[in-house]
Amino acid sequence: MVAPSTTARKAERIRLGMVGGGEGAFIGAVHRIAARLDDQYVLLAGALSSTPEKARRSGRALGLDEDRIYDDHEAMARAESQRADGIEAVVIVTPNHVHAPVARAFLEAGIHVICDKPVTVRSEDARQLAELARRRGLIFAVTHNYSAYPMVRMARELVRQGRLGDIRVVQVEYAQDWLTEPVERSGEHKQAAWRTDPAKAGGGAIGDIGSHAWHLADYVSGLALEQVCAELSSCVPGRGIDDNVQVMMRYAGGARGSLWASQVAPGHLNDLRLRVFGSQGGLEWRQEHPNQLRYTPLGQPTQLLERAGAGFLHAGQRLNRLPGGHPEGYLEAFASLYADVAAHLVQARAGGLPADPDSHFPTIDDGLRGVQFIEAVQHSARQGGQWVPLPATA
Amino acid sequence: MVAPSTTARKAERIRLGMVGGGEGAFIGAVHRIAARLDDQYVLLAGALSSTPEKARRSGRALGLDEDRIYDDHEAMARAESQRADGIEAVVIVTPNHVHAPVARAFLEAGIHVICDKPVTVRSEDARQLAELARRRGLIFAVTHNYSAYPMVRMARELVRQGRLGDIRVVQVEYAQDWLTEPVERSGEHKQAAWRTDPAKAGGGAIGDIGSHAWHLADYVSGLALEQVCAELSSCVPGRGIDDNVQVMMRYAGGARGSLWASQVAPGHLNDLRLRVFGSQGGLEWRQEHPNQLRYTPLGQPTQLLERAGAGFLHAGQRLNRLPGGHPEGYLEAFASLYADVAAHLVQARAGGLPADPDSHFPTIDDGLRGVQFIEAVQHSARQGGQWVPLPATA
Amino acid sequence: MVAPSTTARKAERIRLGMVGGGEGAFIGAVHRIAARLDDQYVLLAGALSSTPEKARRSGRALGLDEDRIYDDHEAMARAESQRADGIEAVVIVTPNHVHAPVARAFLEAGIHVICDKPVTVRSEDARQLAELARRRGLIFAVTHNYSAYPMVRMARELVRQGRLGDIRVVQVEYAQDWLTEPVERSGEHKQAAWRTDPAKAGGGAIGDIGSHAWHLADYVSGLALEQVCAELSSCVPGRGIDDNVQVMMRYAGGARGSLWASQVAPGHLNDLRLRVFGSQGGLEWRQEHPNQLRYTPLGQPTQLLERAGAGFLHAGQRLNRLPGGHPEGYLEAFASLYADVAAHLVQARAGGLPADPDSHFPTIDDGLRGVQFIEAVQHSARQGGQWVPLPATA
Amino acid sequence: MVAPSTTARKAERIRLGMVGGGEGAFIGAVHRIAARLDDQYVLLAGALSSTPEKARRSGRALGLDEDRIYDDHEAMARAESQRADGIEAVVIVTPNHVHAPVARAFLEAGIHVICDKPVTVRSEDARQLAELARRRGLIFAVTHNYSAYPMVRMARELVRQGRLGDIRVVQVEYAQDWLTEPVERSGEHKQAAWRTDPAKAGGGAIGDIGSHAWHLADYVSGLALEQVCAELSSCVPGRGIDDNVQVMMRYAGGARGSLWASQVAPGHLNDLRLRVFGSQGGLEWRQEHPNQLRYTPLGQPTQLLERAGAGFLHAGQRLNRLPGGHPEGYLEAFASLYADVAAHLVQARAGGLPADPDSHFPTIDDGLRGVQFIEAVQHSARQGGQWVPLPATA
């Protein structure tokens, strides 16, 4: 078993800061556990809330030194960039519309970025961030975390090895039920409030979970998405943002896809599923049972592949912590993404020492394409369902 | 347990004929078992093949009397309508393009019709058949057999009772893998040959299985389908007909739907699945495991409903033959459809005696709407994906 | 697809009688459907109840001729054996304690027997029946129906081909929940009443379902059972018969097994499951989802084998009626057992024409061993859990 | 969501040492991640291997200070007990036969113990440790980690609330396949070598996994186990220790149980499953899919309970980190056990401040009973399968 934790030595743990993610924020805590799990990062600074007292309270609860608890991200970027022991990378877990200015500030201060998705509300912002990161030679990771599940990595490797033949059909979906009722109006549900506010979220189901589904399909299939035809709906009366998304997709080379994302599907919690079919086989993966992967070589029985079981490929093995049958989950996958980012951050420190060639993670380029996907879907839907092209990839 | 077989007394078994379904035909044998299972029909006549020797050989193998083995359906309709012991109903299981002329001949001879789907290749033919059946006061059943699974009946009842609230989202799919390779060109696969011939089938995946998926969604949701936006693909190079279908659907009242039908999905055999979501709950059913139904009342745990288990509703109970946990399957559902048709045929004999009010089956009206659905999908796809309206229902 | 129905020509349908199975009896109706499904039998005579009016009413409902509706089985055996068109075989579906005298009467009248299980209450009776059948050269089938599921046949073939290596461990269980409460005391539950009456049933859970579990393990593993160590419990206070059974088993050659049968397991309906493990692989089958078989070749991924799917072996194919993914169920398996018996009955008629060599079914020898198993379990349990040997097989 | 991590403030992280768990040891790494995940512990000292160079290399890899890397546990216990900043608790992850002397040394040095299971090879040693811990007022946790899965806690709460009525039947099993072949003889499999050495392990499958199955059943059912009747087998020729275990169990009050543990079951990885049935309902849990729990209230449909889903009870909620549908796994459960131990360690520091009353974990008393269970099973098996009583619990 390759332990992801062995890449960085303890003495060399990466110095990390965080913007957003204070008290009561779900995703901030997830990022912190993910960074801690393999012991390759140490959290040293934070601007954890836009409310000063809350920022301070949150920082203390996390054991940050007083002088590294900041009220705003600009001060933090400035101060940390000038310390000898300043942070090397910042984690951005604010509401979506704040990602861009925060990322810009840290990039300009020479600090690597790990940012939640969708990386920006407008693709133009993402494009500029991509350019800035490139110019400054900085790492910009986007946490499309589902791509770091071992069996997702393995699914991608099966496709890349040609085990499915030419890919023809991609079916992806992400179904939840937490917005079946208008909980955003209750005043008690902070998550629901900003996630259903178009100004802050930049999109409803399409941005929050549709973008994850898009990335998973993109990542595993390796196909270039060319056109989308979409329908966005607000199923809950009075909700000003989409809570159900249907997209038909045309890929380069003729493959076709369907994407469904819904937050109004009672009985589904975080039900992200992917199926990919080619001329030589098919596969299926479901995040709610992530340690299994169904793989059907054409003309043969379906195989129930298990993480760390028979037939487990290298792509998954290197993210593996436990023997097969001992379930790994969401936090381990998130930690594996952090471990892969760590490998590159350590390389960056060393000024060129090559990272594990199999180590990779979604970057600002993926983030940019994700926002372009969201915009194309929104454009198609606004036009009442026209096929809309996506910008060509470089 | 209500035995579907108790409706008709043995002495009163319905006299049945069959057109098509001779040697080597899959669906003919299925219809015969379905008709026999509950002992309410007796097969007495047939024009089982368009090849005379094969028709004769097939008829003898089934034990038909020599004088009731016919070479063509017109002779059969004529002769049977003049016998005192002539058939009361005919089963039509020919390739799709032959359904219309055969059905017309029997209707004009005053004989009830049980016809496979899609009922015709062109909706105009179906419309005329509907009118003819109505004028003659004859029963015209269309074998959308999946609607007779007990748990499908129960799913519909849950929707009708309002247990899901207002329906918002319908996801339906039918995935197969038998056409992943161009088996129709092998010369050995009769099914594949006519089912991929546009002239004989009237449609590929959309007609063969998409129409089943459409009907299942229609039947359970009870929603009026208003518009479709579709993409038809031929994934196998050189195949002149669709083998992969994507459809977005708009229903009256604002509900949205997606339909996916594919014959090129390795790992899927006859994987028909339906999910329906409303403001108060959701449900899921899958034909490959038909004795279970998942039902999630909003805010409560998902229930795994079992045929003949706790909470089993009347709509399913009346089709039930076995205690829960003893699986019923495809043939039993098909037989239940025949049992419901039998109840109406017996009623027709009695000239008005009311059938079990809960007894129902898909008719030529459903068949007509099915063909209209296929045509709308084909129209939308030909236009490169426009939203296309369906004709209003009467 | 090999249709089990093609073995016998219609004109040659086997003339069948039935003892027991009148109004309200579950298993009688099952046998009739099973016999009818492939159109190889015709039911012509019956002594369907020990209550004369009920016997008559039941016979009429099934369309029997008045003179072939009998009040008692002895009269029936006598009369039918003297008719030119008399029945060739009798189906015995009475309560268990009546099996033996009925079977004896028909065997002595020269009529083949198809009998429900456990074939007798005492093994001595079964031994005598076996001898009588052998002496008279008559077929005596025992309806251990689960052995006729296609995937069970295939499981056995995998074992026989050595695909699992040397068998080491057998785990079998049959769990139900219908006797969780003392329904037998309600006066309304006929099934529960006789099945929990030691005099009529000869055993509780051990006889009713434990014997099925035993046979399934015996049939698939092919191992000779040598010793049992058992615990029989009555979990419902006041119930005078076992409703929960635990058995440890020692097989010839060193394999070990566990059997659990329970009628007080809420959440389980007819949950018969078998797992077999050997030095080269393992397999798992579950009757509630009978069209799948899990097979794990050692060191390879688990394969999800599907009836009529890739890798489907001959042993299952010959019982197959439908394409893969269209579920077959309990009635089809039961009908396949009848089809295999039919092949032998037709052979018996022809006086030696060999039946399909792959055609087989459980006989009185299996029935005898089943009763010996029950007796050994009861003996072990009465002794407070001693290892008890089974009689050696011939 | 209650974050288990909030119990201890960062400044107050518990000072931890470890004995065993150096390079290549699976379970040592698991304990370290578990301790780190919620940020309540800091690892400061270790005697990580019995081989000095390996101990040193392992300690350095973990970033321990040079003077706190020890060659043997006695030196470590002595030195650490005399430091002002000495460890508060030690984790013991050596082979089983070394647990007792190590634990004794640390207890005598006044240091709390967290020890792997089975806690000792002989119950007498466990009894003495229990007494020693009690006398010294020290915490002694035993890592029966499966009991800290949220859905296991919830299962126990369902039983305690009487939702299953009187418990009647317990079925528990733990199946693996990693010892199907004699890998212990390959010389390359360190785990296999000591785990199949009777002197070091104290038992084969019964000690390694049977003891986990026993504890799970014990923990959830809350029943007192009175007698066992067992069969231990070595399925692999030449293996000197059991690799397959069958146990029948009698509980106080009349409930019956079966336990099966196997390391030679191809297709099973770490397949620990528990089913509990009572007069009012049943439940089922499986560690390979730990976020779900099946619960069947008698006469109602089976409920598929989800971690953090509808109906999630307090007992599980307090261990919860993620929204429902985002799978938690083995490491999170292990971390939750550590979090519960932490709550008590913090309390111990404060000299009496009461811990969260819902916080609990398996102690040396559970460990002792576990070893008594193993001994009773071995005793019964040696006697060829006699019912053997367990010592009465205090």
Side-chain angles (χ1 to χ4, degrees):
Chain A
M1 216 168 326
V2 177
S5 61
T6 55
T7 316
R9 290 283 307 280
K10 180 143 185 174
E12 300 160 354
R13 288 189 303 173
I14 294 150
R15 299 183 304 279
L16 206 62
M18 181 172 276
V19 178
E23 287 175 358
F26 153 61
I27 203 67
V30 165
H31 280 255
R32 288 190 295 269
I33 294 176
R36 188 164 60 236
L37 200 133
D38 294 320
D39 211 18
Q40 297 179 280
Y41 292 88
V42 55
L43 181 67
L44 294 170
L48 299 157
S49 170
S50 51
T51 313
E53 314 89 85
K54 201 165 147 189
R56 193 136 300 270
R57 215 162 48 228
S58 301
R60 285 175 185 153
L62 292 171
L64 301 186
D65 288 344
E66 285 291 323
D67 66 333
R68 298 180 85 170
I69 301 175
Y70 299 92
D71 285 355
D72 78 291
H73 67 266
E74 299 204 353
M76 175 173 163
R78 212 177 313 119
E80 290 292 327
S81 70
Q82 287 162 9
R83 296 176 70 116
D85 64 350
I87 60 170
E88 298 167 271
V90 69
V91 176
I92 306 176
V93 284
T94 63
N96 303 341
H97 68 302
V98 187
H99 291 172
V102 176
R104 191 172 302 115
F106 282 87
L107 289 175
E108 285 174 350
I111 294 171
H112 303 290
V113 169
I114 299 169
C115 185
D116 213 340
K117 48 50 52 189
V119 71
T120 60
V121 169
R122 295 173 311 145
S123 64
E124 177 53 25
D125 289 331
R127 208 193 48 70
Q128 290 179 11
L129 290 173
E131 198 179 298
L132 178 56
R134 198 167 299 115
R135 209 168 55 232
R136 301 291 304 253
L138 292 167
I139 288 167
F140 195 127
V142 178
T143 50
H144 279 298
N145 52 296
Y146 302 104
S147 64
Y149 272 109
M151 299 318 272
V152 170
R153 292 275 173 104
M154 177 160 164
R156 182 174 179 250
E157 191 164 313
L158 286 171
V159 172
R160 291 177 63 153
Q161 291 183 359
R163 304 267 290 269
L164 272 66
D166 297 326
I167 302 305
R168 293 167 168 177
V169 180
V170 177
Q171 296 286 120
V172 66
E173 61 183 58
Y174 198 144
Q176 300 179 326
D177 62 8
W178 69 300
L179 294 177
T180 298
E181 293 187 297
V183 289
E184 67 269 32
R185 278 175 243 157
S186 70
E188 289 170 19
H189 205 309
K190 183 190 160 186
Q191 295 287 332
W194 80 256
R195 284 176 200 259
T196 58
D197 177 341
K200 294 187 179 162
I206 183 62
D208 200 23
I209 55 176
S211 60
H212 275 307
W214 160 81
H215 184 261
L216 183 66
D218 181 80
Y219 179 76
V220 172
S221 75
L223 296 172
L225 179 57
E226 293 188 334
Q227 297 178 18
V228 295
C229 179
E231 177 90 337
L232 297 182
S233 311
S234 299
C235 292
V236 170
R239 180 170 288 159
I241 203 166
D242 58 288
D243 51 23
N244 192 73
V245 178
Q246 299 158 279
V247 189
M248 301 194 301
M249 304 186 285
R250 290 176 180 160
Y251 290 98
R256 293 293 179 265
S258 295
L259 181 152
W260 171 57
S262 184
Q263 295 167 320
V264 294
H268 295 265
L269 296 174
N270 276 288
D271 205 350
L272 173 63
R273 304 190 202 195
L274 175 69
R275 289 177 289 182
V276 180
F277 305 102
S279 57
Q280 295 303 318
L283 62 78
E284 178 168 4
W285 179 80
R286 188 178 173 198
Q287 108 104 3
E288 295 200 2
H289 297 278
N291 295 284
Q292 289 76 37
L293 174 66
R294 286 183 177 234
Y295 164 52
T296 310
L298 187 63
Q300 295 178 38
T302 293
Q303 298 175 7
L304 300 177
L305 298 164
E306 289 276 345
R307 186 187 53 71
F312 193 40
L313 299 179
H314 171 74
Q317 281 166 6
R318 47 178 298 289
L319 306 183
N320 196 41
R321 286 170 194 84
L322 293 172
H326 280 330
E328 293 201 1
Y330 179 92
L331 292 171
E332 287 81 0
F334 224 115
S336 293
L337 192 151
Y338 264 86
D340 272 343
V341 174
H344 285 254
L345 288 168
V346 167
Q347 169 193 25
R349 256 184 207 167
L353 190 76
D356 176 348
D358 296 314
S359 163
H360 64 268
F361 50 83
T363 69
I364 181 65
D365 295 324
D366 300 281
L368 168 58
R369 281 192 293 131
V371 182
Q372 289 170 339
F373 168 76
I374 294 170
E375 288 177 345
V377 163
Q378 290 171 329
H379 184 192
S380 172
R382 266 196 310 273
Q383 295 206 317
Q386 301 281 326
W387 282 98
V388 165
L390 271 84
T393 51
Chain B
M1 219 170 323
V2 176
S5 61
T6 55
T7 315
R9 289 284 308 278
K10 182 145 186 174
E12 301 160 353
R13 289 191 302 175
I14 294 150
R15 299 183 304 278
L16 206 62
M18 180 173 277
V19 178
E23 288 176 357
F26 153 60
I27 202 68
V30 164
H31 280 254
R32 287 191 295 269
I33 294 178
R36 188 163 59 236
L37 201 133
D38 294 320
D39 210 18
Q40 298 178 281
Y41 293 88
V42 56
L43 181 67
L44 295 170
L48 300 158
S49 170
S50 51
T51 312
E53 315 87 86
K54 199 164 151 193
R56 194 138 299 271
R57 214 162 47 229
S58 301
R60 283 174 187 153
L62 292 171
L64 301 186
D65 289 344
E66 285 291 323
D67 66 333
R68 300 181 83 170
I69 302 176
Y70 301 91
D71 285 356
D72 78 290
H73 69 267
E74 299 204 353
M76 175 173 163
R78 213 177 313 119
E80 290 292 326
S81 70
Q82 287 161 8
R83 294 177 69 116
D85 64 350
I87 61 169
E88 297 168 271
V90 69
V91 176
I92 305 174
V93 285
T94 64
N96 302 341
H97 68 302
V98 188
H99 291 173
V102 175
R104 191 173 301 116
F106 282 87
L107 290 175
E108 284 174 351
I111 292 171
H112 303 290
V113 170
I114 299 169
C115 185
D116 214 340
K117 51 43 58 188
V119 71
T120 61
V121 168
R122 295 173 311 145
S123 65
E124 177 53 23
D125 289 330
R127 207 193 48 69
Q128 290 178 11
L129 290 173
E131 199 178 298
L132 178 55
R134 200 168 297 115
R135 211 169 54 231
R136 300 293 303 251
L138 291 167
I139 288 167
F140 195 128
V142 178
T143 51
H144 279 299
N145 53 295
Y146 303 104
S147 64
Y149 272 109
M151 299 317 272
V152 170
R153 293 275 172 103
M154 180 161 162
R156 182 174 180 250
E157 191 164 314
L158 287 170
V159 172
R160 291 175 64 153
Q161 290 183 359
R163 304 268 288 270
L164 272 67
D166 297 326
I167 302 306
R168 293 165 169 179
V169 180
V170 177
Q171 296 288 119
V172 67
E173 61 184 56
Y174 197 144
Q176 300 179 327
D177 62 9
W178 70 300
L179 294 176
T180 298
E181 293 187 297
V183 290
E184 66 270 33
R185 279 176 245 158
S186 69
E188 290 170 18
H189 206 309
K190 183 190 159 186
Q191 296 287 332
W194 80 256
R195 285 176 199 261
T196 59
D197 178 341
K200 294 188 179 162
I206 183 62
D208 201 23
I209 54 175
S211 60
H212 274 308
W214 161 80
H215 184 262
L216 184 65
D218 181 81
Y219 179 77
V220 172
S221 74
L223 295 172
L225 179 57
E226 293 187 333
Q227 297 179 16
V228 295
C229 180
E231 178 90 336
L232 297 183
S233 312
S234 299
C235 292
V236 171
R239 179 169 290 161
I241 203 166
D242 58 287
D243 51 22
N244 192 74
V245 178
Q246 300 159 278
V247 189
M248 301 195 300
M249 304 185 284
R250 291 176 179 160
Y251 290 98
R256 294 293 179 263
S258 296
L259 181 151
W260 171 56
S262 185
Q263 295 166 321
V264 294
H268 295 265
L269 297 174
N270 276 289
D271 206 351
L272 172 63
R273 302 190 202 195
L274 174 69
R275 290 177 288 183
V276 180
F277 304 102
S279 57
Q280 295 303 318
L283 62 79
E284 179 169 4
W285 180 80
R286 187 179 173 198
Q287 109 104 2
E288 295 199 2
H289 297 279
N291 296 284
Q292 288 76 37
L293 174 67
R294 286 185 176 234
Y295 165 53
T296 311
L298 187 64
Q300 294 178 40
T302 293
Q303 298 175 6
L304 302 177
L305 298 164
E306 290 276 345
R307 186 188 53 72
F312 193 40
L313 298 179
H314 171 73
Q317 281 167 4
R318 46 177 300 289
L319 306 184
N320 196 42
R321 287 171 195 82
L322 293 172
H326 281 330
E328 293 201 2
Y330 179 91
L331 292 172
E332 287 81 1
F334 223 116
S336 292
L337 192 150
Y338 264 86
D340 273 343
V341 174
H344 285 255
L345 287 169
V346 167
Q347 169 191 28
R349 255 185 207 167
L353 191 76
D356 176 348
D358 295 314
S359 163
H360 65 268
F361 50 84
T363 68
I364 181 64
D365 295 324
D366 301 282
L368 168 57
R369 280 192 293 132
V371 182
Q372 290 170 339
F373 168 75
I374 294 169
E375 288 178 344
V377 164
Q378 290 171 329
H379 184 193
S380 172
R382 267 197 308 275
Q383 295 207 318
Q386 300 282 325
W387 283 97
V388 165
L390 272 85
T393 50
Chain C
M1 216 168 325
V2 176
S5 62
T6 56
T7 316
R9 288 286 308 280
K10 180 145 186 174
E12 301 159 354
R13 289 189 302 174
I14 293 150
R15 299 183 304 280
L16 205 63
M18 180 172 276
V19 178
E23 289 175 358
F26 153 62
I27 202 67
V30 165
H31 279 255
R32 288 190 295 270
I33 295 178
R36 188 163 60 234
L37 201 134
D38 294 321
D39 210 17
Q40 297 178 279
Y41 292 88
V42 55
L43 181 67
L44 295 170
L48 301 158
S49 170
S50 50
T51 313
E53 314 90 84
K54 201 165 149 191
R56 194 137 299 271
R57 214 161 49 228
S58 300
R60 284 175 186 153
L62 293 171
L64 302 186
D65 288 345
E66 286 290 323
D67 66 334
R68 300 180 83 172
I69 303 176
Y70 300 92
D71 284 356
D72 78 291
H73 68 267
E74 300 204 352
M76 177 173 161
R78 212 177 314 120
E80 290 292 325
S81 69
Q82 289 162 7
R83 295 178 70 118
D85 64 349
I87 60 170
E88 298 168 89
V90 69
V91 176
I92 305 175
V93 285
T94 62
N96 303 342
H97 68 302
V98 187
H99 291 173
V102 175
R104 190 172 303 116
F106 282 87
L107 289 175
E108 285 174 349
I111 294 170
H112 303 290
V113 169
I114 300 170
C115 185
D116 214 340
K117 48 49 57 189
V119 71
T120 59
V121 169
R122 294 174 309 147
S123 64
E124 176 54 24
D125 290 330
R127 208 192 47 70
Q128 291 178 10
L129 290 173
E131 198 178 298
L132 177 57
R134 199 168 298 115
R135 209 168 55 231
R136 300 292 304 252
L138 292 167
I139 289 167
F140 195 129
V142 177
T143 52
H144 278 299
N145 52 296
Y146 302 105
S147 64
Y149 271 109
M151 300 318 273
V152 170
R153 293 275 173 105
M154 178 160 164
R156 184 173 178 250
E157 191 164 314
L158 287 170
V159 172
R160 291 176 63 153
Q161 291 183 359
R163 304 268 289 272
L164 272 66
D166 296 326
I167 302 306
R168 294 165 169 178
V169 180
V170 177
Q171 296 286 119
V172 67
E173 60 183 57
Y174 198 144
Q176 300 180 325
D177 62 8
W178 69 299
L179 293 178
T180 298
E181 293 188 296
V183 289
E184 67 269 32
R185 280 177 243 157
S186 70
E188 291 171 16
H189 206 309
K190 183 189 159 186
Q191 295 288 331
W194 79 256
R195 285 175 200 260
T196 57
D197 178 343
K200 295 188 179 163
I206 184 61
D208 201 22
I209 55 176
S211 60
H212 275 308
W214 160 80
H215 184 260
L216 184 66
D218 180 81
Y219 180 77
V220 171
S221 73
L223 297 172
L225 180 57
E226 294 187 333
Q227 297 179 16
V228 296
C229 179
E231 176 91 336
L232 298 183
S233 312
S234 299
C235 293
V236 170
R239 179 170 289 160
I241 202 166
D242 57 289
D243 50 22
N244 191 74
V245 178
Q246 299 159 279
V247 189
M248 301 196 299
M249 304 185 287
R250 291 177 179 160
Y251 291 98
R256 292 294 178 264
S258 296
L259 181 151
W260 171 56
S262 185
Q263 295 167 320
V264 294
H268 295 266
L269 297 174
N270 276 288
D271 207 350
L272 172 63
R273 305 190 200 195
L274 175 69
R275 290 177 288 183
V276 181
F277 304 101
S279 57
Q280 295 302 318
L283 61 78
E284 178 169 3
W285 180 80
R286 188 179 172 198
Q287 108 105 1
E288 295 201 0
H289 297 279
N291 295 283
Q292 287 77 38
L293 174 66
R294 285 181 178 238
Y295 165 52
T296 310
L298 186 64
Q300 294 179 39
T302 293
Q303 298 175 8
L304 186 56
L305 297 164
E306 289 276 346
R307 187 187 50 75
F312 193 40
L313 298 179
H314 171 74
Q317 280 166 7
R318 45 178 300 287
L319 306 185
N320 195 41
R321 287 170 194 83
L322 293 172
H326 281 330
E328 292 200 2
Y330 178 91
L331 292 171
E332 287 80 3
F334 224 117
S336 293
L337 191 151
Y338 265 86
D340 273 343
V341 174
H344 285 255
L345 287 170
V346 167
Q347 170 192 23
R349 256 185 207 167
L353 190 77
D356 176 348
D358 295 316
S359 164
H360 64 268
F361 50 85
T363 68
I364 180 66
D365 294 324
D366 301 281
L368 168 58
R369 279 192 294 131
V371 181
Q372 290 169 339
F373 168 76
I374 294 170
E375 287 177 344
V377 164
Q378 290 171 329
H379 184 192
S380 172
R382 265 196 310 273
Q383 296 207 315
Q386 301 281 326
W387 281 98
V388 165
L390 272 84
T393 51
Chain D
M1 220 169 322
V2 177
S5 61
T6 54
T7 316
R9 288 287 307 279
K10 181 145 185 171
E12 301 160 353
R13 289 191 301 175
I14 294 149
R15 300 184 303 279
L16 206 63
M18 180 171 277
V19 178
E23 287 177 358
F26 153 61
I27 203 67
V30 165
H31 280 255
R32 289 190 294 269
I33 294 177
R36 188 163 60 235
L37 201 134
D38 294 320
D39 211 17
Q40 297 178 280
Y41 293 88
V42 56
L43 181 67
L44 294 170
L48 300 157
S49 170
S50 51
T51 312
E53 315 88 87
K54 200 164 152 193
R56 193 138 301 270
R57 213 160 51 229
S58 300
R60 284 175 186 152
L62 293 171
L64 301 187
D65 289 345
E66 286 291 324
D67 65 334
R68 299 181 83 171
I69 302 176
Y70 300 91
D71 285 355
D72 78 291
H73 68 267
E74 299 204 353
M76 176 173 162
R78 212 176 315 117
E80 290 293 325
S81 70
Q82 288 161 10
R83 293 178 71 115
D85 64 350
I87 60 169
E88 299 167 89
V90 69
V91 176
I92 305 174
V93 285
T94 62
N96 302 342
H97 67 303
V98 188
H99 291 172
V102 176
R104 190 172 302 116
F106 282 87
L107 289 175
E108 284 173 350
I111 294 171
H112 303 290
V113 170
I114 300 170
C115 184
D116 214 340
K117 49 48 57 188
V119 72
T120 60
V121 169
R122 295 175 308 145
S123 64
E124 176 53 25
D125 289 331
R127 208 192 48 71
Q128 290 177 11
L129 290 173
E131 198 177 299
L132 178 55
R134 199 168 299 116
R135 209 169 55 232
R136 301 292 303 250
L138 292 167
I139 289 167
F140 195 128
V142 177
T143 51
H144 279 298
N145 52 295
Y146 302 105
S147 65
Y149 272 110
M151 299 317 273
V152 170
R153 293 275 173 105
M154 179 159 162
R156 182 174 180 251
E157 191 164 315
L158 287 171
V159 172
R160 292 176 63 152
Q161 291 183 0
R163 304 269 287 271
L164 271 67
D166 296 326
I167 303 306
R168 294 168 169 175
V169 180
V170 176
Q171 296 287 120
V172 67
E173 61 183 57
Y174 197 144
Q176 300 180 325
D177 62 9
W178 70 299
L179 293 177
T180 298
E181 294 188 296
V183 290
E184 67 269 33
R185 281 175 244 158
S186 70
E188 290 171 17
H189 206 308
K190 182 189 160 186
Q191 295 288 331
W194 79 257
R195 284 176 201 260
T196 57
D197 178 341
K200 294 187 179 163
I206 183 61
D208 201 22
I209 55 176
S211 60
H212 274 309
W214 160 80
H215 185 260
L216 184 65
D218 181 80
Y219 180 76
V220 172
S221 74
L223 296 173
L225 179 57
E226 293 188 332
Q227 297 179 17
V228 296
C229 179
E231 176 90 337
L232 297 182
S233 312
S234 298
C235 293
V236 171
R239 179 169 289 158
I241 202 167
D242 58 288
D243 51 22
N244 192 74
V245 178
Q246 299 159 280
V247 189
M248 303 196 296
M249 303 185 286
R250 291 178 179 159
Y251 291 99
R256 292 295 178 265
S258 296
L259 181 152
W260 171 56
S262 185
Q263 294 168 321
V264 293
H268 295 265
L269 298 174
N270 276 288
D271 207 351
L272 172 62
R273 303 190 201 194
L274 175 68
R275 290 176 287 183
V276 180
F277 304 102
S279 57
Q280 296 302 318
L283 61 78
E284 178 169 3
W285 179 80
R286 186 178 172 197
Q287 108 104 0
E288 294 199 3
H289 297 278
N291 295 282
Q292 286 77 39
L293 174 67
R294 285 182 178 236
Y295 165 52
T296 309
L298 186 64
Q300 295 179 40
T302 293
Q303 298 175 7
L304 186 55
L305 297 163
E306 290 276 347
R307 187 188 52 73
F312 193 41
L313 298 180
H314 171 73
Q317 281 167 6
R318 49 178 297 288
L319 306 183
N320 196 42
R321 288 170 192 83
L322 294 172
H326 281 331
E328 294 199 1
Y330 178 92
L331 292 171
E332 288 81 359
F334 224 117
S336 292
L337 192 150
Y338 265 84
D340 273 343
V341 174
H344 286 254
L345 287 168
V346 167
Q347 171 193 23
R349 257 184 207 167
L353 191 75
D356 176 348
D358 295 314
S359 164
H360 64 268
F361 50 84
T363 68
I364 181 64
D365 295 323
D366 301 282
L368 168 57
R369 279 192 294 133
V371 181
Q372 289 169 338
F373 168 76
I374 294 170
E375 288 177 344
V377 164
Q378 291 171 329
H379 183 193
S380 172
R382 266 197 309 274
Q383 296 207 316
Q386 300 282 326
W387 282 97
V388 166
L390 273 84
T393 51

